[in-house]
């Protein structure tokens, strides 16, 4: 039962990450629901004393990548990014109450590759260590760092209106 | 005169993300002092980090959906589920492998009945481990479920009432059994043990007697009643299941 309490304590973070990843609150909560249920059915695989948070995020990540939703989203992104435009149309706009800067960031986040976005969110939002992120995503730490670096560069360019014009001309 | 040493990009990220010890941080800060462009870049990244929180931290204080809480409150007896799955999988293999043996021991004749038992066991094993998709129609729509399955089986079926024996109806589903419609009702007791009742039309007449087969945790009783064949399957002793099977067959008498 202690483990259940520990899982419950991770729900806010799992939901925040899922929400940032999926944007659609319903889809995000479905993802977390699946994650919780899978975690419960596999509690015997969890080694006590290890990092429960990272374990849960790993499960969530795997469900996300394997889900049809994930495939569709990924496919949409490929289509959107091959036309040389930064795909800002059709993405979910965050609440209108947000400042212009926040909306820019939100759109820029959507324009990242799925892999860059995962790293940016795990490290930038969830404060995961590089090592935890590497375990959650199942890639070497070096890969995490290069995705992070490219992702941050891209965010910086995309949120800078002048530079983003330059980028469009180059692409 | 050379410009002061420059931080690598990776150092800057690691610095921002708290990956470094105090000594390394101090070194980086020294180098940063000589490179305002790096300091500016760092500040930009830091702003993005805090903006991410502004964008998404609302969720942290959202009430947890009841469904999630329910999932966490539901008892999962994991070791039992695990051994259940192992034995259930073994049972399917066994039935598939020596189906003929199974049938002979049950003194059943006819290929129809042989398939019947095999399908009943498969369906049991496949769906009993499901949580969100255990059934197609949940018990709260029992009337619809029963009407629908009766229509598909072209014979009146009903979900027996087993609450007195401690099992409540979870729901049911339609199953394709060699292209013919079959129905499965699922029940669950307080300890989350599940039993399934599987039925479809059969050409074999007579032999309404109970037949039993058990493999490790799975027990199965099967019998006929009118144009339908029935199988009741569960993870319990022969005696326990027989009691349930009697109740079921009594209620389902044509």
């Amino acid at each position: 039962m202690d483990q259940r309490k520990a899982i419950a304590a991770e729900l806010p973070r799992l939901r925040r990450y899922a929400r940032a990843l999926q944007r659609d609150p319903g889809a995000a909560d479905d993802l977390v629901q699946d994650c919780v249920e899978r975690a419960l059915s596999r509690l015997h695989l969890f080694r006590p004393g290890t990092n429960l948070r990272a374990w849960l995020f790993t499960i969530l990540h795997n469900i996300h990548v394997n889900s049809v939703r994930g495939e569709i989203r990924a496919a949409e992104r490929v289509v959107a990014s091959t036309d040389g435009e930064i795909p800002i149309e059709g993405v979910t706009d965050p609440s209108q109450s947000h400042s212009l800067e926040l909306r820019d960031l939100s759109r820029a986040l959507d324009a990242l590759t799925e892999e860059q976005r995962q790293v940016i969110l795990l490290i930038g939002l969830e404060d995961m260590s590089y090592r935890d992120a590497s375990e959650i995503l199942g890639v070497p730490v070096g890969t995490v760092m290069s995705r992070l670096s490219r992702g941050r560069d891209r965010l910086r360019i995309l949120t800078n209106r002048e530079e983003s014009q330059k980028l469009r001309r180059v692409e | 005169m050379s410009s002061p040493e420059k931080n690598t990009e990776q150092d800057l990220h690691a610095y921002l993300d708290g990956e470094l010890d105090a000594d390394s941080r101090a070194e980086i800060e020294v180098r940063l002092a000589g490179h305002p462009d790096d300091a500016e870049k760092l500040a930009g990244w830091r702003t993005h980090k805090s903006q991410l929180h502004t964008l998404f931290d609302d969720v942290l204080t959202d009430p947890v959906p009841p469904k999630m809480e329910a999932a966490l409150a539901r008892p999962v007896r994991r070791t039992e589920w695990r051994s259940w799955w192992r034995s259930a999988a073994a049972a399917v293999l066994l039935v598939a492998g020596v189906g003929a043996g199974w049938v002979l021991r049950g003194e059943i004749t006819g290929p129809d009945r042989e398939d019947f038992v095999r399908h009943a066991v498969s369906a049991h094993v496949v769906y009993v481990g499901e949580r969100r998709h255990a059934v197609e129609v949940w018990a709260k729509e029992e009337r619809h479920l029963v009407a629908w399955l009766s229509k598909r089986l072209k014979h009146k079926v009903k979900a027996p009432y087993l609450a007195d024996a401690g099992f409540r109806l979870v729901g049911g589903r339609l199953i394709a059994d060699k292209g013919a419609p079959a129905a499965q009702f699922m029940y669950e007791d307080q300890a989350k043990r599940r039993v399934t009742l599987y039925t479809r039309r059969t050409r074999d007449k007579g032999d309404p007697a109970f037949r039993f087969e058990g493999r490790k945790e799975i027990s199965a009783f099967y019998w006929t009643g009118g144009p339908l064949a029935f199988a009741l399957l569960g993870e319990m002793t022969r005696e326990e299941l027989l009691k349930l099977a009697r109740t079921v067959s009594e209620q389902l008498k044509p």
Side-chain angles (χ1 to χ4, degrees):
Chain A
M1 206 58 205
D2 281 349
Q3 280 175 327
R4 282 163 184 271
K5 275 189 194 144
I7 292 176
E10 296 300 336
L11 285 181
R13 282 164 162 275
L14 288 165
R15 294 179 71 209
R16 177 174 64 182
Y17 177 61
R19 183 83 58 100
L21 207 56
Q22 299 258 29
R23 294 312 177 88
D24 171 18
D29 276 345
D30 282 351
L31 181 60
V32 177
Q33 181 82 28
D34 288 347
C35 168
V36 167
E37 288 179 7
R38 191 175 293 188
L40 288 172
S41 73
R42 293 180 180 186
L43 261 183
H44 59 282
L45 295 175
F46 176 69
R47 280 172 295 135
T50 60
N51 188 339
L52 179 71
R53 179 175 299 160
W55 187 68
L56 291 169
F57 271 81
T58 307
I59 293 175
L60 187 126
H61 172 76
N62 290 338
I63 297 173
H64 176 65
V65 228
N66 292 330
S67 72
V68 180
R69 290 189 298 274
E71 283 168 29
I72 291 170
R73 263 183 91 87
E76 279 169 357
R77 276 177 212 297
V78 170
V79 171
S81 57
T82 46
D83 61 9
E85 277 282 326
I86 294 146
I88 53 172
E89 270 84 36
V91 301
T92 322
D93 225 9
S95 154
Q96 292 300 316
S97 64
H98 285 318
S99 72
L100 205 60
E101 287 82 18
L102 285 176
R103 266 185 278 163
D104 281 349
L105 177 66
S106 175
R107 289 177 185 187
L109 205 56
D110 272 328
L112 297 182
T113 68
E114 182 78 34
E115 289 173 341
Q116 288 168 351
R117 184 167 42 250
Q118 289 160 0
V119 171
I120 292 280
L121 293 174
L122 283 176
I123 290 163
L125 181 64
E126 298 304 332
D127 277 325
M128 294 282 179
S129 69
Y130 292 178
R131 235 193 82 203
D132 284 348
S134 124
E135 274 177 29
I136 290 164
L137 302 172
V139 298
V141 172
T143 308
V144 168
M145 292 174 75
S146 62
R147 284 180 190 170
L148 179 69
S149 172
R150 260 175 291 164
R152 277 187 176 147
D153 271 352
R154 201 156 154 75
L155 283 187
R156 190 172 50 81
I157 293 166
L158 290 171
T159 52
N160 179 326
R161 286 169 181 269
E162 277 174 39
E163 292 226 30
S164 121
Q165 291 303 319
K166 234 188 288 174
L167 185 78
R168 286 183 200 210
R169 282 199 296 274
V170 171
E171 276 186 349
Chain B
M1 198 176 128
S2 64
S3 63
E5 202 185 336
K6 204 169 160 62
N7 286 302
T8 68
E9 185 103 333
Q10 291 207 335
D11 279 345
L12 291 177
H13 287 293
Y15 174 80
L16 174 70
D17 298 320
E19 293 279 318
L20 303 175
D21 58 27
D23 286 351
S24 313
R25 293 178 64 86
E27 284 171 28
I28 284 176
E29 279 161 14
V30 168
R31 289 196 286 265
L32 265 177
H35 287 279
D37 53 331
D38 278 353
E40 197 186 317
K41 194 191 272 177
L42 196 61
W45 294 341
R46 188 171 280 132
T47 304
H48 279 163
K49 252 183 129 158
S50 90
Q51 284 176 338
L52 283 178
H53 284 280
T54 315
L55 278 173
F56 299 111
D57 276 2
D58 289 5
V59 194
L60 292 178
T61 47
D62 265 10
V64 171
K67 226 169 84 179
M68 262 178 227
E69 278 183 343
L72 279 164
R74 218 179 288 142
V76 181
R77 295 162 313 135
R78 53 188 170 84
T79 46
E80 292 187 30
W81 276 102
R82 202 163 24 139
S83 65
W84 158 245
W85 267 105
R86 205 176 290 141
S87 58
V92 163
L93 286 176
L94 191 128
V95 172
V98 290
W102 173 298
V103 168
L104 284 177
R105 271 195 304 279
E107 294 171 23
I108 296 182
T109 55
D112 194 38
R113 299 281 286 278
E114 177 183 339
D115 280 342
F116 174 70
V117 176
R118 185 158 56 221
H119 276 107
V121 173
S122 299
H124 179 86
V125 170
V126 168
Y127 293 116
V128 86
E130 287 284 336
R131 312 211 147 268
R132 296 174 70 189
H133 308 290
V135 295
E136 276 178 296
V137 179
W138 297 86
K140 61 175 188 241
E141 291 181 272
E142 184 179 340
R143 278 179 63 183
H144 161 67
L145 172 69
V146 165
W148 170 50
L149 293 176
S150 298
K151 192 174 154 202
R152 296 306 310 270
L153 266 64
K154 297 195 171 67
H155 193 269
K156 194 172 176 336
V157 294
K158 63 178 179 181
Y161 178 77
L162 301 178
D164 293 343
F167 283 85
R168 61 167 193 88
L169 181 68
V170 177
R173 64 168 65 238
L174 183 70
I175 287 169
D177 181 334
K178 285 185 83 178
Q184 184 191 56
F185 293 105
M186 190 180 290
Y187 293 80
E188 191 174 75
D189 73 358
Q190 287 227 313
K192 300 285 170 191
R193 287 189 307 175
R194 285 175 166 179
V195 298
T196 61
L197 175 69
Y198 185 89
T199 181
R200 71 156 158 77
R201 297 182 74 91
T202 177
R203 288 185 300 278
D204 297 328
K205 297 288 178 205
D207 196 13
F210 287 136
R211 301 293 177 193
F212 172 79
E213 185 68 29
R215 288 292 157 192
K216 294 190 178 164
E217 283 95 341
I218 304 180
S219 301
F221 277 100
Y222 41 99
W223 69 95
T224 59
L228 298 179
F230 299 96
L232 187 72
L233 306 98
E235 182 195 11
M236 54 183 64
T237 63
R238 180 197 164 105
E239 290 65 38
E240 256 183 305
L241 190 68
L242 178 59
K243 230 170 74 185
L244 273 182
R246 286 210 173 104
T247 311
V248 171
S249 92
E250 193 60 36
Q251 292 184 33
L252 295 180
K253 262 190 187 147

